[in-house]
Amino acid sequence: MKQPDTNPSPQQPSQQTRDNRQLLSLAWKIFLPIAIGAAVVIWLFHREFNPRVWETIHFDNRVIGCIALAWVFMIGRDFGLSWRFRTLTDRQLTWLQAIKVNMLCEFTSCVTPSAVGGSALGMVYLNREGIELGRATTLMMTTLFLDELFFVVSLPVIMLAIPYRELFGFGHSTFTIGLESVFWIVYSVIFLWTAILFLGIIVRPHGIHRALNWLFSLRWLRRWQHSADTLGQNMEDTGRELRLRPLRWWLETFCGTALSWSSRYLVVNALFLGFAPYADQLIVFGRQFVVWVVMMISPTPGSAGVSEWLFTTYYGDLIHSSGIALVIALFWRIISYYVYLIIGACIMPSWIRQGIRLSRRKRSSISSDT
């Protein structure tokens, strides 16, 4: 009788190697933005920070309370996004699942350039939580539309509430002129993209799909033809679902979107209340809108380095102290960025291992069936 082969399968070492490579890649993606951000912060401290600034900072009850308030606002931001995920899935996700998907999306945003964002893998995270992949893609397209719509709608409100000179006209330096130009270019792209999404999802999804196919059939755009066709199909699928939604559903999802973004901005307001209470809080809030729009084109993972430099330079005239600006920027990034890297570093390895186990089960099931 032939003895069963007890030697490990030659595929097992290679599979283990692939698993290790995935975890190593994750560790590298976590380390890179931390290294970039830390390098820029150290450079800024070395160039502009005066050690005497620490003598002017007293961590009394007011400062500590405002730092705690900043954390509360960040929790409000996560609540808003988790609430939106719950609403989008018609309560199919539990609160715990919605929070998990939100944290994974935020971690993706932290380790990828800002133009990519957390929605790049959002459909994968939703699918792992039991949402069918096609519907998950539709839902992430909806979140993209809601986020862009919030930016488009917010600007007129901010412009009516805050004098233009307080956003861009407070100086005639190269920085302010460049910032103003970049902001309007990026906002114009957002406005155009939102209009395409609105037409492609709500008004004429099939027409926009056909227009995209025609446009990308041109010789110099042909290499992106498949991606454009996929985008058009996703728009049609999203449109079919959204046109059946009642007004209450739209209000709830947009409220979740507005709550999440407003809470994100208010983190900086809380920190200014603690470290620079004399600053105009309305201007602080409005400039956060500008900061986040400009950060959308940052090439670094999670805008690491770019955001710290942009924050200290843009808010410098409100604080009159580059040292205090650096301290606020550091707390801002810890609360709104680095904490998600830490949470993601705790969640993602188990999420990857879970996917590996599911993949092995599928392979073994296929092998047993054959």
Side-chain angles (χ1 to χ4, degrees):
M1 176 189 260
K2 185 177 178 180
Q3 296 295 324
D5 187 6
T6 57
N7 292 326
S9 169
Q11 293 182 350
Q12 288 178 343
S14 60
Q15 180 63 45
Q16 184 64 38
T17 301
R18 286 195 295 270
D19 299 348
N20 291 336
R21 285 176 180 172
Q22 282 185 302
L23 295 175
L24 182 62
S25 174
L26 174 64
W28 173 250
K29 288 178 179 178
I30 295 171
F31 171 77
L32 181 61
I34 291 176
I36 295 173
V40 172
V41 168
I42 292 171
W43 173 69
L44 288 171
F45 267 89
H46 176 73
R47 189 186 71 168
E48 300 184 15
F49 190 76
N50 185 346
R52 292 184 177 179
V53 168
W54 292 116
E55 299 175 6
T56 65
I57 299 176
H58 304 285
F59 287 90
D60 53 19
N61 292 335
R62 179 179 59 82
V63 173
I64 294 173
C66 289
I67 294 174
L69 181 62
W71 282 102
V72 171
F73 282 132
M74 209 61 204
I75 293 172
R77 174 216 161 280
D78 292 320
F79 171 78
L81 290 181
S82 301
W83 175 27
R84 187 173 72 174
F85 275 123
R86 286 258 297 161
T87 304
L88 287 171
T89 59
D90 298 316
R91 307 295 191 272
Q92 185 175 342
L93 292 184
T94 65
W95 275 108
L96 184 60
Q97 288 176 312
I99 292 171
K100 181 180 178 182
V101 171
N102 171 55
M103 291 299 175
L104 288 170
C105 287
E106 281 304 305
F107 176 74
T108 305
S109 297
C110 290
V111 298
T112 57
S114 298
V116 177
S119 59
L121 292 175
M123 64 284 293
V124 179
Y125 302 143
L126 286 171
N127 180 244
R128 183 69 64 81
E129 298 303 322
I131 306 297
E132 190 269 331
L133 186 58
R135 184 171 178 236
T137 303
T138 296
L139 296 179
M140 292 312 299
M141 178 72 73
T142 306
T143 64
L144 176 63
F145 172 66
L146 289 169
D147 286 335
E148 307 298 349
L149 181 63
F150 175 81
F151 277 103
V152 170
V153 172
S154 296
L155 181 64
V157 177
I158 289 174
M159 289 296 179
L160 287 173
I162 303 173
Y164 188 84
R165 66 180 181 276
E166 297 295 348
L167 295 176
F168 301 109
F170 53 89
H172 298 286
S173 65
T174 303
F175 169 78
T176 54
I177 295 172
L179 179 71
E180 182 180 10
S181 301
V182 170
F183 172 82
W184 284 113
I185 291 172
V186 176
Y187 181 81
S188 299
V189 172
I190 293 173
F191 185 89
L192 178 62
W193 176 230
T194 306
I196 293 173
L197 287 174
F198 179 74
L199 292 173
I201 292 175
I202 307 299
V203 182
R204 294 287 299 276
H206 185 65
I208 295 297
H209 189 182
R210 290 179 58 188
L212 286 172
N213 285 338
W214 173 83
L215 179 63
F216 284 87
S217 66
L218 300 177
R219 183 167 57 86
W220 55 87
L221 296 175
R222 201 168 294 161
R223 68 175 67 180
W224 298 289
Q225 187 173 17
H226 177 71
S227 298
D229 181 63
T230 302
L231 173 62
Q233 187 59 55
N234 289 339
M235 284 183 179
E236 288 199 57
D237 295 339
T238 305
R240 276 192 292 269
E241 177 166 332
L242 295 188
R243 282 193 295 274
L244 299 176
R245 295 295 184 175
L247 178 61
R248 178 180 176 181
W249 183 90
W250 279 103
L251 291 175
E252 191 171 350
T253 53
F254 190 76
C255 283
T257 303
L259 173 63
S260 64
W261 280 107
S262 299
S263 296
R264 193 193 298 253
Y265 297 165
L266 288 169
V267 169
V268 176
N269 284 86
L271 293 174
F272 265 81
L273 279 175
F275 293 100
Y278 46 82
D280 189 315
Q281 289 294 316
L282 188 59
I283 296 174
V284 171
F285 184 87
R287 289 192 183 186
Q288 269 292 284
F289 178 85
V290 176
V291 167
W292 282 98
V293 169
V294 173
M295 280 169 54
M296 287 184 179
I297 62 169
S298 172
T300 60
S303 300
V306 175
S307 58
E308 290 85 354
W309 169 80
L310 177 61
F311 185 96
T312 54
T313 307
Y314 189 34
Y315 280 102
D317 68 303
L318 295 180
I319 306 174
H320 308 297
S321 169
S322 57
I324 296 294
L326 280 172
V327 172
I328 296 176
L330 188 58
F331 274 98
W332 169 57
R333 289 295 278 174
I334 289 173
I335 295 171
S336 64
Y337 177 72
Y338 290 107
V339 67
Y340 292 105
L341 278 177
I342 296 172
I343 294 174
C346 296
I347 296 177
M348 189 59 77
S350 62
W351 188 86
I352 292 175
R353 293 190 187 97
Q354 181 187 5
I356 293 170
R357 287 195 297 268
L358 290 174
S359 179
R360 286 175 177 173
R361 288 174 188 170
K362 289 180 180 179
R363 286 199 299 269
S364 62
S365 176
I366 293 172
S367 300
S368 63
D369 291 341
T370 56

